Amino acid sequence: MGLNVIVLAKQVPDTRNVGKDAMKADGTVNRAALPAIFNPEDLNALEQALRLKDKYPGTTITILTMGPGRAADIIREGLYRGADNGYLLTDRAFAGSDTLATSYALSCALKKMSKIDLIIAGRQAIDGDTAQVGPQVAEKLGLPQVTYAEEVISAEGGSITIKRRLERGVETVEMPLPGVITVNASAPECRPRNAKLLMKFKHARTITERQGEAEDYIDLTADRPYLNIEEWSVNDIESDMNWLGLSGSPTKVKKIENVVFQAKEAKHLTPADEEIDELMKELIANHTIG
Amino acid sequence: MNNVFVICEVDEGKIADVSLELMTKGRSLANQLKCKLEALVLGHNLKGIEKELYPYGADVIHIGDDERLDPYTTLPHTSVIVDLFKKEEPQIALLGASTFGRDLGPRVSSALQSGLTADCTSLEIGPHEDKKAGKTYENLLYQIRPAFGGNIVATIINPDCRPQMATVREGVMKKEIFDATYKGKVNKIDVDAILKPEDLVVKVIERHMEKSKVNIKNSSIIVSGGYGVGSKENFDLLFELAEVLGAEVGASRAAVDAGFAEHERQIGQTGVTVRPKLYIACGISGQIQHTAGMEESSMIIAINNDPNAPINKIADYAITGDVGEVVPKLIKFYKQNTK
């Protein structure tokens, strides 16, 4: 029995690698200098989807992402690893969305898709670390959720069995389908790109991307429809504009401060024996240790 | 109506520490706002649980005691909370940023279309002026949290939607008894009237919970390692030093991600917050994600190859050198001087 699986993915700036060149002279982050990557836990989510596809022939995997035009890159990345197709939800109307407005837009797009069995997302994105979008989408669709998933054990007979990783233990739960699961970083890593799929999907493009390219590519999708990455704007989903973007976001950013360390006088030492010996004597004398 | 609520987590029949920490914070917010502090506890066999909460200044304790609420699953908890919040209209609702709170919080906020800020490191009350809309607000909850991988600190507000919801990690707020003789009242929730069959579709088949083996939160000395420690083998040196000093070993997120240490040792924004007497930071550069979880340590010794590492700015002693060289010397001279 094949499943219709949607993977929610996000393109994020690689905040784990904020190097020296990523900081501007005034000490603020130069976002443009950070590489845009497939959110790591969304890759863990994709792997769980791919394992379902391995196990249950006929399963299709669709990637849904919301973001600017260049977010099509992560859809291609997903196709190279075994996803079947992708949707890019992109519109200025979505700009400034907080997690709730994002979840609303995604849920409207999901409602437009044909019969969904399972929605899988990463637990959280590294640019916000909120872990909110998965559960908020589930609520907007009226679907049950299982968060902190580490392994999908089986998906048979209309329900799915999942192992969850909690702070101090593991839990096995059963959820009827359709439903939403979010996957932890502790789940298996995503398989690498497949060379054949890379060849197959290397020219996969959204309509906007095709319009910007040489003429040869424009008609490529006529006989190879799988090369079309579906691009949806706000007009392609049924939504209430008041719930989208900034106006649909209950949370507002009042203030942003760049992190500046408060300097205090540190006593600088070298690893020389006398200095370490002196330090230890001092710490023992003032009862910090010992 | 319009009070401050804390959604409490029950851990082995007791109120979880993070919830009590939030009760302390909630009490001070309620005092500032001149409103009541209310606690919400859902679970099973909760007889007498209110006694744990009164000393933290709970004016009202809502208790939903039903076997369908234990073990925790998302949907029945959400239904009961949404039902209660629609009646009580809290202005603020706080919950722990544990797997419980991070599963439940977004679900509740989505159902109520209210804003939720995750992993706040500070909560304050203050005004806001929206110049564009020509509106001013008094007494909003400032939800302060690091964002963008910890490179910025953002103050988030929810001007128009209620409740203003926030999650906070364990150890970030301080737990303090407000008044040991404080008495409030209990409101028993009629859970049966709220739950519907579709709330009960997710079933917990099996659960293995272990007591946490690592107790860094309550350790007075912590030897902590970062990515700069270099390897799991070098991390063994930190364990040796910790053994000698009677300390616990902590780690930065980078070290945990690199597989040098277990996740339960992680200190910082996405781990635990610690305030030991002595914090020895080995090979830790000092990104805010990490320092947010340890900067209140009474004394900090930083060991780093880089004399300009940010950690040195908050350190009391900065030793410029190799962890592999310095740590064995600390062990050696500690032993020599205590003989």
Side-chain angles (χ1 to χ4, degrees):
Chain A
M1 175 206 66
L3 298 163
N4 186 13
V5 181
I6 312 291
V7 174
L8 300 181
K10 185 181 185 185
Q11 190 182 47
V12 292
D14 192 355
T15 54
R16 298 169 308 177
N17 293 312
V18 181
K20 288 197 177 83
D21 52 338
M23 301 304 276
K24 295 187 211 160
D26 62 357
T28 62
V29 182
N30 180 11
R31 294 178 190 226
L34 294 177
I37 57 165
F38 202 120
N39 179 52
E41 284 184 327
D42 297 344
L43 280 174
N44 296 103
L46 176 60
E47 176 60 26
Q48 288 302 316
L50 292 168
R51 287 178 181 212
L52 286 172
K53 188 175 163 180
D54 294 342
K55 201 167 170 182
Y56 305 110
T59 293
T60 59
I61 301 173
T62 303
I63 298 201
L64 171 62
T65 187
M66 181 169 117
R70 63 174 180 157
D73 283 346
I74 65 164
I75 294 178
R76 275 185 288 276
E77 189 61 49
L79 295 170
Y80 301 157
R81 295 172 194 242
D84 298 282
N85 51 61
Y87 286 78
L88 171 67
L89 189 58
T90 186
D91 203 300
R92 280 186 180 279
F94 304 135
S97 293
D98 70 358
T99 62
L100 204 58
T102 301
S103 306
Y104 176 68
L106 289 172
S107 68
C108 292
L110 289 160
K111 279 180 190 163
K112 287 277 288 188
M113 296 183 172
S114 54
K115 196 190 131 331
I116 295 168
D117 295 304
L118 180 63
I119 297 166
I120 312 185
R123 176 188 55 140
Q124 63 190 36
I126 54 169
D127 57 344
D129 285 334
T130 70
Q132 291 176 3
V133 169
Q136 287 176 337
V137 165
E139 170 63 29
K140 294 266 173 277
L141 296 173
L143 296 178
Q145 73 189 48
V146 173
T147 54
Y148 292 87
E150 195 167 72
E151 186 191 352
V152 174
I153 297 167
S154 69
E156 279 156 29
S159 77
I160 187 164
T161 308
I162 295 153
K163 188 174 103 186
R164 303 179 72 205
R165 169 67 54 182
L166 306 177
E167 282 118 340
R168 292 206 319 270
V170 289
E171 195 177 77
T172 308
V173 299
E174 194 182 82
M175 171 175 78
L177 296 174
V180 177
I181 68 177
T182 71
V183 180
N184 261 353
S186 61
E189 271 185 42
C190 191
R191 63 197 63 181
R193 295 171 174 187
N194 173 302
K196 274 189 192 153
L197 293 173
L198 179 61
M199 291 311 290
K200 180 177 174 187
F201 287 112
K202 137 175 117 166
H203 294 297
R205 295 287 184 273
T206 63
I207 181 145
T208 307
E209 285 174 325
R210 281 200 299 278
Q211 284 161 353
E213 286 191 345
E215 262 182 41
D216 301 358
Y217 290 107
I218 292 178
D219 299 325
L220 212 56
T221 51
D223 48 327
R224 291 184 229 167
Y226 57 84
L227 290 180
N228 180 47
I229 295 175
E230 199 71 49
E231 183 178 309
W232 279 357
S233 75
V234 70
N235 297 321
D236 297 299
I237 60 173
E238 279 159 44
S239 62
D240 180 339
M241 288 294 277
N242 293 320
W243 287 41
L244 294 174
L246 264 183
S247 60
S249 300
T251 59
K252 315 279 176 205
V253 177
K254 179 171 170 62
K255 196 170 73 179
I256 293 278
E257 282 167 293
N258 287 291
V259 170
V260 182
F261 282 94
Q262 285 168 345
K264 87 178 172 190
E265 243 356 88
K267 211 163 154 184
H268 284 268
L269 306 176
T270 71
D273 281 3
E274 320 77 75
E275 294 193 35
I276 303 289
D277 187 26
E278 194 52 43
L279 170 66
M280 280 307 179
K281 284 191 171 118
E282 211 176 304
L283 295 180
I284 293 164
N286 65 25
H287 302 289
T288 302
I289 54 176
Chain B
M1 295 283 268
N2 301 322
N3 290 325
V4 174
F5 273 65
V6 176
I7 301 173
C8 296
E9 179 172 357
V10 182
D11 184 15
E12 289 170 10
K14 299 189 72 145
I15 303 292
D17 266 354
V18 66
S19 306
L20 297 177
E21 291 160 13
L22 288 175
M23 287 297 289
T24 299
K25 185 71 204 179
R27 186 64 257 172
S28 82
L29 294 174
N31 289 351
Q32 241 179 308
L33 295 166
K34 300 188 175 59
C35 70
K36 285 181 176 166
L37 172 64
E38 307 195 20
L40 168 59
V41 191
L42 304 179
H44 190 42
N45 295 327
L46 299 175
K47 199 166 181 291
I49 200 114
E50 64 276 8
K51 294 194 194 85
E52 287 179 48
L53 286 162
Y54 285 137
Y56 293 89
D59 296 302
V60 182
I61 303 171
H62 304 269
I63 299 178
D65 194 331
D66 189 293
E67 60 181 357
R68 291 167 290 180
L69 295 171
D70 182 39
Y72 166 81
T73 52
T74 319
L75 300 178
H77 268 69
T78 303
S79 289
V80 174
I81 294 169
V82 168
D83 185 85
L84 184 76
F85 279 10
K86 280 185 177 161
K87 286 183 208 143
E88 297 289 336
E89 298 177 18
Q91 57 172 310
I92 291 173
L94 307 176
L95 64 171
S98 53
T99 49
F100 163 86
R102 297 175 110 236
D103 181 81
L104 179 62
R107 188 91 198 190
V108 171
S109 86
S110 186
L112 296 170
Q113 190 65 15
S114 72
L116 168 66
T117 305
D119 299 352
C120 295
T121 50
S122 177
L123 297 169
E124 291 165 19
I125 301 293
H128 176 64
E129 192 187 350
D130 183 344
K131 288 192 181 115
K132 237 194 243 164
K135 275 197 201 165
T136 55
Y137 300 84
E138 294 301 325
N139 293 328
L140 287 183
L141 181 67
Y142 288 2
Q143 301 145 57
I144 299 160
R145 77 180 300 256
F148 210 69
N151 295 288
I152 58 174
V153 175
T155 301
I156 312 288
I157 47 169
N158 315 357
D160 299 308
C161 300
R162 294 290 175 274
Q164 308 165 79
M165 291 181 68
T167 66
V168 178
R169 280 182 183 274
E170 183 176 356
V172 172
M173 301 294 172
K174 276 186 193 142
K175 171 176 98 172
E176 254 168 316
I177 299 273
F178 175 67
D179 173 356
T181 61
Y182 204 81
K183 274 273 149 15
K185 60 172 192 184
V186 168
N187 166 41
K188 284 221 172 350
I189 301 171
D190 185 359
V191 175
D192 202 49
I194 300 166
L195 293 188
K196 298 178 292 295
E198 58 264 36
D199 290 328
L200 306 167
V201 293
V202 175
K203 301 220 158 37
V204 177
I205 302 169
E206 214 185 338
R207 253 179 151 226
H208 287 291
M209 289 299 168
E210 300 154 3
K211 281 234 177 281
S212 183
K213 281 167 280 173
V214 181
N215 191 1
I216 39 178
K217 220 181 104 185
N218 294 317
S219 187
S220 67
I221 304 174
I222 293 172
V223 179
S224 192
Y227 191 71
V229 171
S231 66
K232 210 166 161 56
E233 289 65 45
N234 276 354
F235 240 85
D236 290 344
L237 286 174
L238 308 193
F239 280 96
E240 264 180 62
L241 176 61
E243 169 89 44
V244 172
L245 297 178
E248 198 45 273
V249 174
S252 71
R253 179 175 180 166
V256 171
D257 284 349
F260 298 164
E262 311 99 287
H263 179 75
E264 52 185 341
R265 299 192 183 276
Q266 189 172 316
I267 291 167
Q269 189 202 340
T270 50
V272 289
T273 299
V274 294
R275 301 180 181 84
K277 197 166 66 168
L278 174 63
Y279 192 91
I280 306 179
C282 308
I284 291 176
S285 62
Q287 300 277 0
I288 175 110
Q289 296 99 306
H290 185 73
T291 58
M294 48 64 75
E295 63 195 349
E296 286 179 46
S297 306
S298 311
M299 183 184 286
I300 298 167
I301 300 176
I303 305 165
N304 208 297
N305 272 326
D306 176 6
N308 299 317
I311 189 89
N312 289 351
K313 300 215 174 104
I314 60 163
D316 298 276
Y317 296 92
I319 307 174
T320 302
D322 215 57
V323 171
E325 181 191 357
V326 177
V327 171
K329 283 193 182 182
L330 292 175
I331 298 171
K332 178 179 156 197
F333 288 106
Y334 174 77
K335 284 184 176 165
Q336 245 175 49
N337 287 305
T338 45
K339 255 182 210 155

